[in-house]
Amino acid sequence: MQLRSGEIQKPGKGDLIRAYTLQHAESGLGNDYLKRKNVIRVRLEGEQFLLQAADVPSVVEWIEGFHAGTNISLDLDHRVMPKGPMFPRRRRRRNRRPVSENTQAGDGGVLSAVVL
């Protein structure tokens, strides 16, 4: 609960319904939920939660926070390697050497062709 002054009120002991652990949690974008924007889907202990953030940078911060918490929530002996953000790799273009017209196969030269 947020007050008008920007201060967040702490919940009382009677307000807590259930506590969840981040062990084996899954979190990510809820991009199939079309009713609202900036939705984060979190699956904890067999239950699913949809959280709405204010903007895209806060969505990224929340998801990174959930991933960090999930990665450190298990004991060291039971942890899997953390999954980092998966971005497509840039493909490098190779330098193309022009084929000279006077190169012949019989003189020890190398013929090469570039197929695009």
Side-chain angles (χ1 to χ4, degrees):
M1 182 172 161
Q2 189 169 1
L3 303 175
R4 291 182 187 230
S5 64
E7 180 182 322
I8 297 175
Q9 181 181 2
K10 291 186 177 182
K13 291 242 180 204
D15 295 336
L16 182 65
I17 298 172
R18 183 166 178 204
Y20 293 90
T21 178
L22 286 177
Q23 294 178 347
H24 307 292
E26 296 177 6
S27 59
L29 282 175
N31 52 1
D32 58 338
Y33 187 76
L34 302 175
K35 292 182 181 178
R36 297 180 185 261
K37 292 183 177 182
N38 305 324
V39 174
I40 304 164
R41 182 183 311 275
V42 182
R43 291 188 178 113
L44 303 165
E45 300 178 12
E47 296 187 35
Q48 175 176 283
F49 301 94
L50 296 174
L51 308 172
Q52 185 180 16
D55 52 3
V56 174
S58 59
V59 168
V60 172
E61 288 179 22
W62 274 98
I63 291 176
E64 286 179 350
F66 279 123
H67 284 184
T70 302
N71 288 336
I72 64 170
S73 64
L74 286 173
D75 289 336
L76 286 174
D77 297 334
H78 301 288
R79 284 189 203 172
V80 295
M81 289 299 293
K83 298 176 189 172
M86 302 300 286
F87 298 110
R89 290 179 27 182
R90 269 183 77 182
R91 293 186 180 177
R92 295 182 183 172
R93 293 188 178 194
R94 294 184 181 181
N95 293 335
R96 291 184 274 162
R97 286 187 274 158
V99 178
S100 62
E101 294 178 13
N102 57 4
T103 305
Q104 296 178 1
D107 66 354
V110 177
L111 290 177
S112 62
V114 178
V115 179
L116 297 177

